[in-house]
Amino acid sequence: METKKKQYAEVEGLFTWPADEPHLIGGLCKGCNTYFFPKFSIFHKPGCPQGPVEEVLLSRRGRLSSYTVQCFPVPPPFVSADPFVPFAIGLVALPEGIEVIGQLTGVSIEDVKTGTDVELVVEKLYGDKDGNEAMTWKFRPV
Amino acid sequence: MTEVAVIGVGFHPWGKFPDKTFVDLGVVAAMNALKDANMEWKDIPAAVASEYVWGGTDGFNAGPALAGHLGETGIPITNIFNMCASATSVVRSAYHVVASGERDICLAIGLDVSPKGFFGFMGTPNPKDTDYLRWRVIGATNPGYWAMECRKRMEKYGTNAHHLAMAKVACSKHGALNPNALFRKEYTEEEVLASPMVCDPLHLYEICATRDGAAAAILCRADKATKYNGKPIIIGGVGLGSSLYGDPTLRLGLLSAPAGDMAPLLSESHMSAQMAYELAGIGPEDIDFVEVPDNSSWHYLQYLETMGFCGPGEADRFLDEGQTLIGGKLPVCPSGGASSFGEALSAQGLLQICDIVEQLRGQAGPRQVQGAKVGMGQTYGQLGNSASIILKV
């Protein structure tokens, strides 16, 4: 009987996992009403008392505000697919008033278009040497 | 504050030097600057150096490491690291040493040698370091970030593939005339667009390479400068800037950015340029030529607007009209830019200054900007740092 592949978050604390409807985990400063992602990536408005900053789950849906297609293998510490396949990376505008970066999935690199509504998913980043899957957040057209 | 002049400049050629150390390059740059100023190292009463951060404890004390080779005089030496804005920041500190009256003369030096195998992330894997995360969990390279800003610009203003290619063409025309430049080929638009796509929409030739190099300048009180050099070049002002809240630029190494338009794009460069203008008592309209940090064709266009030379969205037309060529309204990167040299992170600002000084001395030969009286340079560092300098005769 085949052992089930394990799936684990490549980095803890950036998104909810495991989850049917994952969210990015961000921060919200109640002092200056600014959202941060990740929550420790802090940029306060001048005059803000620097908090309190609370952990928040960011909206799952947003709009693709820009993208690029990575056409060359990416060096370590990224684990590039072998053979390399160009992939898209996007910037997604969330209702919280910030834009977050993430790989795009579920769309061919020829068909990516800004303005598309996208939602957060958690998918395989790479397969590790034990055959398990390191997972990360990506955005997929709705 | 006392007026300060540049009385000597010198550099080690830009290139790849896997068998050389930062000291090897730095000593050559310092000696060339000293020669240009008709001085010896023992005449230098203070120095400021960029730190060398890619390996070796002595790199964090790069200035005294250089002094070990040049001669241990015991003078005050500051080491500074402001990412890719290091060299121009070094000049600001050297300027303060002289302008404050603490010393009559100060040497400023920037240096960089890529460590072996330098490609991407050079730090220690750390899940709290967004610069590590963007490599590890996304695969977002530097050109990838720039490409996403570039696409936004294309959709907002109509910048297209032609404009991106022409920025490279313009720089290459200048590099072709510069015997110091590494890349001397003059490119056509077709050749640039035929180069491999790296991060759509940026082609290979639209992204600057990285190289090694070191450059130095010797600063002196203006009222004592002619003792050393018959053509002292006056520092009009050196500005330094950090990011403004609400700047929508996705800063290299971060995973998010504010949406909207609350603050200018590349706000640190906007701030450093504004500060330099204020200190010099002039505006962008008074600048005769400018060296922008042309990491990519997007930067070339965007900096013209960020630094106040063109209104929002106007840089493309300005470029198309030929105004950024020598002979145009505002020659951009008459040295050829990072496009023609490659970028040596912590030294680039001083390479700019070497070329600006050559222009203002009237010694740029076929690249001479006619009647050049005021030149400007700017460098920009990862994660939010920029320095701008205005020099004049």
Side-chain angles (χ1 to χ4, degrees):
Chain A
M1 194 161 79
E2 202 185 276
T3 319
K4 192 174 191 309
K5 257 193 302 228
K6 277 202 291 247
Q7 295 183 326
Y8 57 92
E10 168 63 20
V11 177
E12 295 281 337
L14 300 179
F15 52 90
T16 55
W17 184 256
D20 289 332
E21 295 204 330
H23 291 258
L24 290 177
I25 301 170
L28 167 61
C29 174
K30 304 293 279 229
C32 62
N33 204 43
T34 311
Y35 286 88
F36 309 130
F37 177 71
K39 67 180 186 211
F40 51 81
S41 195
I42 292 191
F43 300 96
H44 287 296
K45 187 171 180 175
C48 172
Q50 296 172 43
V53 178
E54 54 182 53
E55 184 177 291
V56 291
L57 300 183
L58 298 177
S59 299
R60 285 176 38 74
R61 288 204 175 181
R63 191 183 36 81
L64 192 65
S65 69
S66 192
Y67 70 91
T68 185
V69 179
Q70 178 64 32
C71 299
F72 276 87
V74 180
F78 186 73
V79 180
S80 258
D82 187 12
F84 175 76
V85 176
F87 62 95
I89 295 171
L91 256 183
V92 175
L94 299 177
E96 285 84 350
I98 58 171
E99 301 192 353
V100 299
I101 189 178
Q103 283 187 15
L104 300 181
T105 186
V107 60
S108 73
I109 57 175
E110 291 82 22
D111 293 335
V112 184
K113 273 203 325 275
T114 58
T116 308
D117 288 328
V118 296
E119 69 178 0
L120 190 83
V121 295
V122 173
E123 285 192 357
K124 174 180 157 187
L125 176 61
Y126 63 89
D128 70 21
K129 56 178 167 45
D130 300 321
N132 297 315
E133 294 182 346
M135 314 289 280
T136 192
W137 80 90
K138 299 185 188 182
F139 291 100
R140 180 176 64 201
V142 166
Chain B
M1 298 217 281
T2 312
E3 203 168 52
V4 179
V6 176
I7 54 168
V9 290
F11 62 95
H12 180 291
W14 253 234
K16 273 194 187 292
F17 307 102
D19 298 325
K20 290 197 176 184
T21 67
F22 72 88
V23 173
D24 293 330
L25 269 61
V27 165
V28 169
M31 294 297 290
N32 284 338
L34 287 165
K35 186 159 165 235
D36 191 46
N38 301 300
M39 298 178 78
E40 294 180 39
W41 169 249
K42 64 175 177 52
D43 305 322
I44 299 291
V48 184
S50 67
E51 285 182 19
Y52 178 70
V53 301
W54 308 117
T57 312
D58 57 348
F60 296 116
N61 203 28
L66 290 177
H69 284 242
L70 294 166
E72 296 190 290
T73 52
I75 60 170
I77 307 178
T78 312
N79 304 297
I80 286 180
F81 189 67
N82 269 0
M83 317 299 269
C84 308
S86 291
T88 320
S89 304
V90 160
V91 176
R92 176 170 176 260
S93 290
Y95 169 84
H96 287 158
V97 168
V98 179
S100 66
E102 183 199 276
R103 294 284 190 270
D104 286 354
I105 290 168
C106 189
L107 179 129
I109 180 157
L111 41 86
D112 220 319
V113 181
S114 309
K116 283 187 169 53
F118 176 79
F119 282 121
F121 181 68
M122 289 304 301
T124 319
N126 176 355
K128 288 271 163 60
D129 180 354
T130 57
D131 196 38
Y132 166 70
L133 294 175
R134 60 105 164 189
W135 285 104
R136 181 66 176 176
V137 304
I138 300 174
T141 61
N142 293 1
Y145 275 72
W146 304 333
M148 289 197 286
E149 298 295 346
C150 188
R151 173 159 275 109
K152 279 188 174 180
R153 182 187 170 86
M154 293 165 95
E155 298 196 355
K156 187 170 184 183
Y157 296 131
T159 306
N160 59 37
H162 157 77
H163 300 116
L164 300 177
M166 289 310 291
K168 169 63 176 182
V169 169
C171 281
S172 76
K173 282 190 198 294
H174 299 161
L177 297 173
N178 190 348
N180 298 322
L182 262 190
F183 310 118
R184 305 276 319 267
K185 177 180 154 61
E186 192 178 326
Y187 285 93
T188 65
E189 183 178 346
E190 292 69 36
E191 284 170 324
V192 177
L193 292 174
S195 67
M197 190 69 86
V198 172
C199 292
D200 196 308
L202 292 172
H203 292 263
L204 183 65
Y205 295 168
E206 293 164 348
I207 302 165
C208 80
T210 57
R211 283 298 186 271
D212 310 332
I218 299 176
L219 276 53
C220 176
R221 293 174 59 104
D223 58 11
K224 296 194 175 171
T226 49
K227 173 175 167 200
Y228 302 99
N229 192 300
K231 264 186 170 160
I233 304 301
I234 305 296
I235 294 179
V238 194
L240 194 60
S242 56
S243 313
L244 282 171
Y245 177 81
D247 173 353
T249 316
L250 181 71
R251 265 173 262 163
L252 200 57
L254 295 186
L255 303 182
S256 69
D261 271 316
M262 232 190 306
L265 267 179
L266 298 170
S267 58
E268 45 284 276
S269 300
H270 166 81
M271 295 302 285
S272 78
Q274 289 304 312
M275 182 174 167
Y277 294 135
E278 272 168 49
L279 290 169
I282 61 173
E285 63 281 1
D286 301 307
I287 303 294
D288 294 324
F289 63 95
V290 63
E291 295 284 332
V292 302
D294 55 315
N295 286 102
S296 77
S297 294
W298 168 68
H299 292 89
Y300 183 104
L301 294 166
Q302 186 57 51
Y303 279 130
L304 292 179
E305 297 169 13
T306 297
M307 294 175 72
F309 300 117
C310 298
E314 312 250 279
D316 311 88
R317 185 161 48 105
F318 198 66
L319 168 65
D320 258 346
E321 290 171 356
Q323 306 291 8
T324 65
L325 293 174
I326 293 165
K329 267 203 197 125
L330 178 75
V332 176
C333 297
S335 66
S339 180
S340 303
F341 281 84
E343 192 206 11
L345 277 66
S346 299
Q348 207 71 17
L350 271 156
L351 179 70
Q352 288 181 345
I353 288 165
C354 285
D355 208 80
I356 292 169
V357 164
E358 199 170 73
Q359 285 282 353
L360 294 173
R361 285 176 178 170
Q363 291 168 356
R367 296 181 302 115
Q368 185 62 50
V369 175
Q370 294 304 321
K373 293 263 182 293
V374 187
M376 188 168 190
Q378 192 246 136
T379 49
Y380 166 91
Q382 179 183 4
L383 291 171
N385 210 320
S386 165
S388 292
I389 184 167
I390 292 171
L391 294 143
K392 60 183 184 178
V393 285

